[in-house]
């Protein structure tokens, strides 16, 4: 089946042709681990997981590489301001290394709670300093670099197609200095740091010797160095959020292609942002953001957020509201009930999924059409409700679809004994719901969730499961 992807580089949908037949090499920009990831970041990771799983579903082998930015990402994308890691260390009175460790673990806890598959290769930037300085040396040899007081910079004027990813008008804006803060010493406003020197009066926690002086890598450098180290000089697919188009990915392309003379990535995929319904943009540096743990705190299964993300195509902006999460949670419950009932109904072995059936084809076509998960979910809903299809076949299809959607459609409700105090709260909540006292019932849902018990209302009544292990 033809797989088409929307390529930011060419601004159109293209047939996906991997460099090695049947095998997709994917690089996805990972988290900057100085703080918790917010649910906006997680939208991008859920989209990337949908892409990886869709490729696997359609028969591709996948090698996904993801970096962990644990050094060098400065507060401003214009290579100025403090290193976010050092900022985190100061904020929490810990070492930058401890901050990186703590938030890397927190990130993967959230990543797994959303059923994202672990990448085949994970690479913390601080493990690849050698690859990065080698890349700077290669660029220096080819004449793309120059030195100013605070570091070694890339001369964007030396690369004729600099900025091709973001488009001409945008780059003209950068050239005029509209988008990046101007460092008077830079030759061109768009030039960016490859290697930054530790300031003479400063003792950084993270710094390394280099042929140019002690310092640390520029943020963009890590992705180029690690992507090429693990996937070769040209990679198939490179992903990230839309904010990366203008600066980060533009500069990754510049330094990689200047060094190798080859295309860096053949397909560039960008997820649009999650925005907050009332406050607009969600960002880590602005503070006051929601994390994956905010979901169980409000009594929701984190996978309701995965479902929520899949209801909107990744190239459309998604507005976050709690009403939307509530609707997604209900949708997820409904889908789980349908799947659960089918499992009860079908006694004996489950047949193979009927890959030739129209619903199976429609589902696959949706995935192959630029990862159209909203459409794939609609096909699943319709098929599970269609009694003209024999139940065993519907069950087989749901099991196959679960490989892509990963919504725990067949999760056993975790039952068992609850302490009397908690059972009493559940009973009280059921009574409140019957009496249509939703305010009280929500309070009780929250109280139970604070104690690690997640409530689900199903057609058969209220069920519960533990949220913490
Ligand atoms: P960071 O940890 O800031 O480097 O970002 C990690 C990933 O989240 C990157 O791919 C960003 O493009 C993406 N991202 C940041 N903010 C949002 C948002 N509000 N919605 C979706 N993706 C985002
Ligand atoms: Zn990157």
């Amino acid at each position: 089946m033809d797989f088409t992807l929307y390529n930011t580089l060419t601004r159109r949908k293209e047939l996906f042709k991997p460099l090695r037949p049947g095998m997709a090499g994917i690089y996805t920009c990972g988290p900057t681990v100085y703080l918790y990831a917010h649910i906006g970041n997680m939208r991008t990771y859920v989209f990337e997981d949908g892409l990886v799983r869709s490729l696997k579903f359609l028969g591709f082998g996948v090698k996904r590489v993801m970096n962990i930015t644990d050094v060098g990402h400065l507060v401003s994308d214009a290579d100025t301001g403090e290193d976010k890691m050092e900022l985190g260390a100061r904020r929490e009175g810990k070492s930058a290394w401890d901050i990186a460790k703590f938030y890397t673990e927190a990130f993967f806890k959230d990543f797994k709670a959303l059923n994202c598959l672990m990448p085949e290769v994970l690479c913390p930037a601080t493990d690849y300093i050698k690859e990065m300085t080698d890349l700077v040396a290669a660029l220096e040899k080819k004449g793309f670099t120059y030195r100013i007081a605070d570091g070694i910079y890339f001369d964007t004027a030396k690369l004729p197609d600099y900025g091709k990813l973001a488009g001409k008008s945008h780059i003209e804006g950068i050239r005029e200095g509209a988008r990046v803060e101007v460092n008077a010493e830079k030759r061109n406003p768009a030039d960016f740091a490859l290697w930054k020197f530790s300031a003479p009066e400063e003792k950084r926690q993270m710094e390394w010797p280099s042929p140019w002086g002690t310092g640390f890598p520029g943020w963009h450098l890590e992705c180029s160095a690690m992507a090429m180290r693990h996937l070769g000089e040209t990679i198939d697919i490179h992903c990230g959020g839309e904010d990366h188009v203008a600066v980060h990915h533009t500069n990754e392309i510049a330094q990689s292609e200047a060094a190798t003379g080859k295309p860096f990535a053949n397909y560039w995929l960008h997820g649009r942002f999650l925005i907050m319904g009332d406050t607009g943009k969600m960002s880590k540096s602005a503070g006051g953001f929601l994390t994956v743990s905010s979901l169980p705190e409000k009594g929701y299964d984190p996978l309701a957020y995965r479902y929520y993300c899949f209801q909107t195509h990744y190239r459309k902006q998604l507005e976050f509201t709690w009403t939307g999460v509530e609707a997604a949670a209900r949708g997820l419950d409904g889908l789980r009930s349908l799947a659960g009932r089918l499992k009860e109904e079908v006694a004996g072995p489950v047949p193979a999924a009927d890959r030739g059936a129209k619903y199976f084809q429609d589902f696959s076509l949706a995935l192959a059409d630029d990862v159209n998960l909203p459409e794939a979910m609609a096909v699943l809903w319709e098929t599970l409700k269609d009694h003209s299809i024999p139940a065993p076949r519907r069950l087989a299809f749901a099991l196959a679809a679960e490989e892509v959607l990963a919504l725990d459609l067949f999760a056993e409700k975790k039952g068992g004994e609850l302490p009397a105090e908690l059972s009493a709260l559940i009973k009280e909540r059921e009574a409140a719901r019957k009496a249509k006292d939703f305010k009280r019932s929500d309070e009780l849902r929250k109280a139970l969730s604070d104690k690690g018990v997640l409530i689900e209302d199903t057609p058969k009544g209220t069920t519960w499961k533990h949220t913490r292990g």
Side-chain angles (χ1 to χ4, degrees), residues 90 118 158 186 291 311 333 434:
R90 209 156 30 75
M118 282 304 269
K158 295 242 164 88
K186 289 203 293 192
T291 66
Q311 284 176 306
D333 279 351
K434 276 207 188 101

PDB file of all heavy atoms in Angstrom, residues 90 118 158 186 291 311 333 434:
ATOM      1  N   ARG A  90      19.755  25.831  39.203  1.00  0.00           N
ATOM      2  CA  ARG A  90      19.703  26.938  40.151  1.00  0.00           C
ATOM      3  C   ARG A  90      18.324  26.999  40.828  1.00  0.00           C
ATOM      4  O   ARG A  90      18.210  27.167  42.027  1.00  0.00           O
ATOM      5  CB  ARG A  90      20.002  28.255  39.426  1.00  0.00           C
ATOM      6  CG  ARG A  90      20.634  29.272  40.321  1.00  0.00           C
ATOM      7  CD  ARG A  90      21.455  30.318  39.605  1.00  0.00           C
ATOM      8  NE  ARG A  90      21.035  30.656  38.253  1.00  0.00           N
ATOM      9  CZ  ARG A  90      19.965  31.414  37.949  1.00  0.00           C
ATOM     10  NH1 ARG A  90      19.206  31.906  38.883  1.00  0.00           N
ATOM     11  NH2 ARG A  90      19.677  31.679  36.687  1.00  0.00           N
ATOM     12  N   MET A 118       8.886   2.858  23.120  1.00  0.00           N
ATOM     13  CA  MET A 118      10.230   3.397  23.333  1.00  0.00           C
ATOM     14  C   MET A 118      10.984   3.414  22.000  1.00  0.00           C
ATOM     15  O   MET A 118      10.916   2.444  21.242  1.00  0.00           O
ATOM     16  CB  MET A 118      10.990   2.517  24.331  1.00  0.00           C
ATOM     17  CG  MET A 118      10.600   2.759  25.768  1.00  0.00           C
ATOM     18  SD  MET A 118      10.790   4.483  26.263  1.00  0.00           S
ATOM     19  CE  MET A 118      12.461   4.447  26.864  1.00  0.00           C
ATOM     20  N   LYS A 158      26.996  31.559   3.556  1.00  0.00           N
ATOM     21  CA  LYS A 158      27.812  30.678   2.707  1.00  0.00           C
ATOM     22  C   LYS A 158      27.002  29.519   2.119  1.00  0.00           C
ATOM     23  O   LYS A 158      27.513  28.747   1.304  1.00  0.00           O
ATOM     24  CB  LYS A 158      28.978  30.091   3.540  1.00  0.00           C
ATOM     25  CG  LYS A 158      29.966  31.136   4.020  1.00  0.00           C
ATOM     26  CD  LYS A 158      31.357  30.875   3.441  1.00  0.00           C
ATOM     27  CE  LYS A 158      32.268  32.073   3.573  1.00  0.00           C
ATOM     28  NZ  LYS A 158      32.986  32.110   4.834  1.00  0.00           N
ATOM     29  N   LYS A 186      27.825  38.992  15.083  1.00  0.00           N
ATOM     30  CA  LYS A 186      27.523  37.971  14.075  1.00  0.00           C
ATOM     31  C   LYS A 186      27.581  38.605  12.689  1.00  0.00           C
ATOM     32  O   LYS A 186      27.200  39.755  12.502  1.00  0.00           O
ATOM     33  CB  LYS A 186      26.130  37.383  14.312  1.00  0.00           C
ATOM     34  CG  LYS A 186      26.033  36.485  15.537  1.00  0.00           C
ATOM     35  CD  LYS A 186      24.878  35.491  15.477  1.00  0.00           C
ATOM     36  CE  LYS A 186      23.520  36.124  15.521  1.00  0.00           C
ATOM     37  NZ  LYS A 186      22.438  35.139  15.739  1.00  0.00           N
ATOM     38  N   THR A 291       0.502  18.818  32.932  1.00  0.00           N
ATOM     39  CA  THR A 291       1.341  17.663  32.582  1.00  0.00           C
ATOM     40  C   THR A 291       0.456  16.425  32.493  1.00  0.00           C
ATOM     41  O   THR A 291      -0.742  16.494  32.787  1.00  0.00           O
ATOM     42  CB  THR A 291       2.404  17.415  33.671  1.00  0.00           C
ATOM     43  OG1 THR A 291       1.715  17.031  34.865  1.00  0.00           O
ATOM     44  CG2 THR A 291       3.233  18.659  33.934  1.00  0.00           C
ATOM     45  N   GLN A 311      -8.188  12.383  17.910  1.00  0.00           N
ATOM     46  CA  GLN A 311      -9.429  12.869  17.294  1.00  0.00           C
ATOM     47  C   GLN A 311      -9.172  14.023  16.317  1.00  0.00           C
ATOM     48  O   GLN A 311     -10.064  14.422  15.581  1.00  0.00           O
ATOM     49  CB  GLN A 311     -10.400  13.348  18.373  1.00  0.00           C
ATOM     50  CG  GLN A 311     -11.083  12.195  19.098  1.00  0.00           C
ATOM     51  CD  GLN A 311     -11.948  12.730  20.211  1.00  0.00           C
ATOM     52  OE1 GLN A 311     -11.491  13.479  21.068  1.00  0.00           O
ATOM     53  NE2 GLN A 311     -13.217  12.372  20.201  1.00  0.00           N
ATOM     54  N   ASP A 333     -14.187   5.153  26.870  1.00  0.00           N
ATOM     55  CA  ASP A 333     -14.979   4.165  27.620  1.00  0.00           C
ATOM     56  C   ASP A 333     -15.887   3.389  26.674  1.00  0.00           C
ATOM     57  O   ASP A 333     -16.031   2.170  26.784  1.00  0.00           O
ATOM     58  CB  ASP A 333     -15.856   4.860  28.673  1.00  0.00           C
ATOM     59  CG  ASP A 333     -15.064   5.200  29.926  1.00  0.00           C
ATOM     60  OD1 ASP A 333     -13.905   4.750  30.025  1.00  0.00           O
ATOM     61  OD2 ASP A 333     -15.608   5.914  30.784  1.00  0.00           O
ATOM     62  N   LYS A 434     -26.744   9.218  40.617  1.00  0.00           N
ATOM     63  CA  LYS A 434     -28.159   8.863  40.432  1.00  0.00           C
ATOM     64  C   LYS A 434     -29.040  10.062  40.719  1.00  0.00           C
ATOM     65  O   LYS A 434     -30.035  10.309  40.041  1.00  0.00           O
ATOM     66  CB  LYS A 434     -28.532   7.690  41.346  1.00  0.00           C
ATOM     67  CG  LYS A 434     -28.163   6.363  40.723  1.00  0.00           C
ATOM     68  CD  LYS A 434     -29.049   5.229  41.228  1.00  0.00           C
ATOM     69  CE  LYS A 434     -28.517   3.891  40.716  1.00  0.00           C
ATOM     70  NZ  LYS A 434     -27.749   3.164  41.732  1.00  0.00           N
TER      71      LYS A 434
END
